[in-house]
Amino acid sequence: MLKKNDIYEITIEDMGKDGEGIGHIDGMTVFVKDTVVGDRASVKLMKVKKNLAFARLMEILEPSADRVTPVCENARACGGCTLQHISYEKQKELKQAHVRNCLARIGGLSDVDARMEPLIGMEEPFHYRNKMQFPIGEDSAGKPQLGFYAGHTHSLIPLSDCPMGHPVNRYILSRFREYLTEAHIPVYHEETHEGLVRHLLTRVGFATGEVMVCVVINGRKLPRKELLMGKLQEALEEWNRIGSGEGTPGFGEHLRLASVNCSVNEEKTNRILGFRSFTVYGKDCIEDRIGTVQFRISPESFFQVNPLQTVRLYQKALEYAGLTGSETVWDMYCGIGTISLFLAKKAGRVFGVEIVPQAIENAKENAELNQIGNADFFVGKAEDVVPRLYAEDPERYRADVVVVDPPRKGCDAALLETLAAMSPDRIVYVSCDPATLARDIKILCEDGYAVEKVTPVDMFPGSMHVETVALIERI
C-alpha cells in the first residue's frame, strides 16, 4: 500500500490536462508535476487518495527525449509556467491532443481529426506577453522584492525578469525597486493589511511602443512621484540604449513612457486592481494595434496578452466567419470591441454586447478612434439584450453570423438557448478552455448545428493554456 512521504521510482507514460506527468506505482495512477512522457524519475508521495496519488519530483533518473533545460531558473518553483522543461514542439503536440480529447470525450464528436486543423504556434515562444502583474513583498532583511507567487501559494519568488514578458520589464523592475528603497515606501502585507504598495502592473504596446506602468496601492496617495518618474524614464532610456539591441524579434522599436497611474485597492482581497485609479503621468490609456485596428487600453481593460498570436487568432476567426461584406454579425462577450472591430471592416453591420459598462464605453471609443461606423455596442447580458432588440426590429437585429468569446466558464446556458433561437448560419466560438468549448458544442449540436472546423492557437507557450477557434454551422 502506498504511503505519504515514501519515495518511489516511476516512468511517466502520459500527461494530464494541467501539464503534469502521469505514471503508475503498484497499479495506482500517480500525478507528478515537472515531468514529461518518457522521464524515469524518483518521486516522493505527497498525497495518497483511494484511486490516485500526487507526488513531488525528487530527481530525474533518465530524461525524456522531449525534456529541455528551462530558460528561467525559477520555472519549477514559479506558478506561471508549467511546461518550460518540455520542448516547444512537444508542447504544441500536447495542446493539440488536449483539444482533440476534449472534443471527443466531452463534446461527443466523432471523426475529430478530420475537423481539426494544425495548432498555430509561435516561431519564438518567449517574450510574448504585453501585460505583466508583479506582486511586491520583502526579503528577510526588509528590502522590497518583486516577483511572482509560487504555484498555489502567496509565497513570493523574487525575480529580476520574466522570459515570457517583454524584455523591457527587467529595466522597469530594477528601477522600481530603487524607487521603493530610496523613497522608503512601505510594502503591503496581506496578513496585517498594512503597507502601501501591493502590485506593479506593466503594459507594452508592441505595435506603438507605448508603455504603461500602474502601481496598485493600499491608499490614496503615492509619495515621491517625481522620483518614480525619473526612475521609470531611466529604465526606458536604458532599454532604448541597450536592451533594444538584444536581437529579440519584434522588440527593436523605440519605447516611450506614455502612462503612469495608480490603482487604489484598499480592500482585504486577492483581487489585484481596485475600482478607482488616478493618472500620475501622461495619458490615462495607451494605444496598440491588432492588425490595422487601433485600441485604447486602460489598466482595467481586457486585451489579449499575446499580440503576435492575437492577430493569427482573429484572422482565423475572420476566415471562419466567411464574411462577404453584407452580413450582420453579433459579437457576444465583446469586451472593448477587439473582435467586433476586427470583423467590422468585412461585415455589413456588427453588434457587440457585454455586461461590463466600462468595456462598452471603451468599445465605442475604439470604434470612433478607427472611424468605424458600422458597429454598435450594448450593455447587458446577451441573453437579455438580444431577444429584446430582435423583438423590436427583427430585420435590423437578425444574425447571419454570431461570434462568442466567453470567459473560462464558457457560455451561459441561457445564451446558448438564445443562439439556437436566433438560428444564425454560422457560429464562430473562440474559447480559452477546451473543456467548456466541448460542453457547449455538444449542446449546440443537439440544437441543429454541426462542427465543421477547429483550430487551436497557442497564445501561452510555457503553459497548458490554449485558445481554440471553432466553426459551427447550421445543418
Side-chain angles (χ1 to χ4, degrees):
M1 180 177 179
L2 303 187
K3 295 181 181 179
K4 182 180 177 180
N5 295 324
D6 282 355
I7 294 178
Y8 295 87
E9 290 187 9
I10 191 172
T11 298
I12 303 302
E13 306 158 3
D14 201 355
M15 301 294 292
K17 65 180 180 64
D18 296 321
E20 68 276 62
I22 301 174
H24 293 86
I25 299 173
D26 295 342
M28 179 174 283
T29 300
V30 180
F31 292 83
V32 189
K33 184 178 173 291
D34 305 310
T35 59
V36 61
V37 173
D39 277 342
R40 180 73 179 168
S42 171
V43 302
K44 181 178 182 180
L45 294 181
M46 305 306 295
K47 183 184 296 185
V48 180
K49 296 187 175 183
K50 184 177 180 180
N51 297 315
L52 54 86
F54 298 88
R56 174 185 297 168
L57 173 64
M58 303 301 290
E59 181 183 2
I60 295 294
L61 304 175
E62 295 179 20
S64 164
D66 295 310
R67 174 172 285 278
V68 297
T69 301
V71 171
C72 176
E73 62 182 14
N74 295 295
R76 183 176 175 185
C78 178
C81 295
T82 55
L83 302 184
Q84 268 201 42
H85 62 287
I86 302 175
S87 71
Y88 188 53
E89 289 303 312
K90 186 64 175 180
Q91 289 185 36
K92 293 188 290 184
E93 179 185 316
L94 292 173
K95 295 182 184 187
Q96 181 92 1
H98 179 44
V99 175
R100 182 192 303 113
N101 292 341
C102 286
L103 292 174
R105 181 173 52 85
I106 302 172
L109 294 183
S110 59
D111 199 16
V112 176
D113 286 333
R115 308 169 197 260
M116 286 194 68
E117 298 189 89
L119 177 142
I120 300 175
M122 298 192 72
E123 295 178 8
E124 171 55 57
F126 296 100
H127 300 299
Y128 59 82
R129 291 187 63 97
N130 59 16
K131 174 187 174 183
M132 301 293 286
Q133 297 176 143
F134 301 96
I136 301 171
E138 293 177 330
D139 63 15
S140 58
K143 295 181 180 179
Q145 300 285 344
L146 292 88
F148 294 129
Y149 292 130
H152 308 292
T153 76
H154 270 212
S155 176
L156 187 70
I157 299 173
L159 298 171
S160 59
D161 189 20
C162 172
M164 298 304 173
H166 192 295
V168 73
N169 283 302
R170 77 171 67 116
Y171 301 94
I172 294 175
L173 289 178
S174 176
R175 297 300 186 182
F176 189 75
R177 275 193 299 268
E178 292 178 4
Y179 158 71
L180 293 177
T181 300
E182 293 178 22
H184 303 289
I185 305 295
V187 170
Y188 178 74
H189 294 273
E190 289 183 327
E191 301 82 3
T192 63
H193 194 53
E194 296 177 343
L196 181 65
V197 181
R198 302 174 69 137
H199 278 78
L200 180 71
L201 180 150
T202 65
R203 286 186 183 269
V204 181
F206 277 40
T208 62
E210 293 190 348
V211 175
M212 169 185 286
V213 174
C214 177
V215 186
V216 183
I217 57 175
N218 177 41
R220 306 295 177 89
K221 295 181 179 180
L222 186 68
R224 303 286 301 278
K225 292 189 289 289
E226 298 79 8
L227 176 63
L228 175 61
M229 294 309 102
K231 294 292 185 181
L232 294 177
Q233 292 289 6
E234 288 176 10
L236 270 293
E237 290 170 5
E238 190 174 11
W239 160 262
N240 289 323
R241 186 177 67 254
I242 303 173
S244 60
E246 294 177 350
T248 306
F251 303 122
E253 62 273 272
H254 180 86
L255 299 182
R256 61 190 178 281
L257 188 64
S259 175
V260 180
N261 50 57
C262 288
S263 175
V264 177
N265 184 355
E266 297 179 288
E267 298 181 18
K268 293 183 178 180
T269 175
N270 289 335
R271 189 185 67 250
I272 295 176
L273 293 175
F275 294 110
R276 61 176 293 264
S277 61
F278 59 90
T279 300
V280 175
Y281 169 86
K283 306 182 294 182
D284 296 337
C285 302
I286 62 170
E287 295 184 4
D288 204 6
R289 290 190 300 272
I290 298 176
T292 60
V293 184
Q294 194 97 349
F295 294 94
R296 288 196 180 102
I297 309 163
S298 70
E300 301 84 8
S301 296
F302 172 79
F303 192 74
Q304 291 280 7
V305 301
N306 186 333
L308 304 176
Q309 290 295 86
T310 297
V311 174
R312 294 166 180 154
L313 177 75
Y314 288 2
Q315 285 174 340
K316 182 57 67 172
L318 180 61
E319 174 191 327
Y320 282 0
L323 302 179
T324 63
S326 61
E327 292 84 2
T328 297
V329 180
W330 272 96
D331 179 11
M332 316 297 190
Y333 307 99
C334 70
I336 65 171
T338 50
I339 295 181
S340 303
L341 300 180
F342 198 83
L343 298 176
K345 294 190 175 184
K346 299 288 185 180
R349 169 67 57 179
V350 174
F351 299 113
V353 59
E354 167 65 53
I355 196 171
V356 181
Q358 185 57 52
I360 290 297
E361 288 303 313
N362 293 153
K364 293 177 179 179
E365 292 169 359
N366 287 324
E368 184 177 350
L369 177 66
N370 290 277
Q371 299 181 327
I372 292 175
N374 62 335
D376 295 305
F377 298 95
F378 304 94
V379 176
K381 292 183 178 180
E383 56 269 24
D384 296 334
V385 172
V386 177
R388 173 174 55 81
L389 292 174
Y390 184 75
E392 293 174 0
D393 191 341
E395 180 60 28
R396 175 174 172 79
Y397 293 113
R398 78 187 194 283
D400 298 310
V401 178
V402 169
V403 177
V404 292
D405 185 6
R408 185 164 296 278
K409 65 180 181 179
C411 289
D412 185 276
L415 177 58
L416 294 175
E417 294 177 7
T418 300
L419 292 180
M422 293 173 71
S423 192
D425 296 329
R426 292 179 297 284
I427 299 172
V428 179
Y429 195 132
V430 180
S431 168
C432 60
D433 187 337
T436 54
L437 167 67
R439 179 202 66 199
D440 292 348
I441 277 177
K442 186 175 183 179
I443 295 171
L444 290 169
C445 287
E446 293 170 353
D447 285 328
Y449 284 87
V451 178
E452 296 298 322
K453 296 179 182 179
V454 178
T455 300
V457 182
D458 189 14
M459 301 286 285
F460 308 99
S463 77
M464 271 301 289
H465 296 300
V466 58
E467 295 271 335
T468 309
V469 188
L471 170 60
I472 306 165
E473 294 189 337
R474 187 173 61 189
I475 299 173

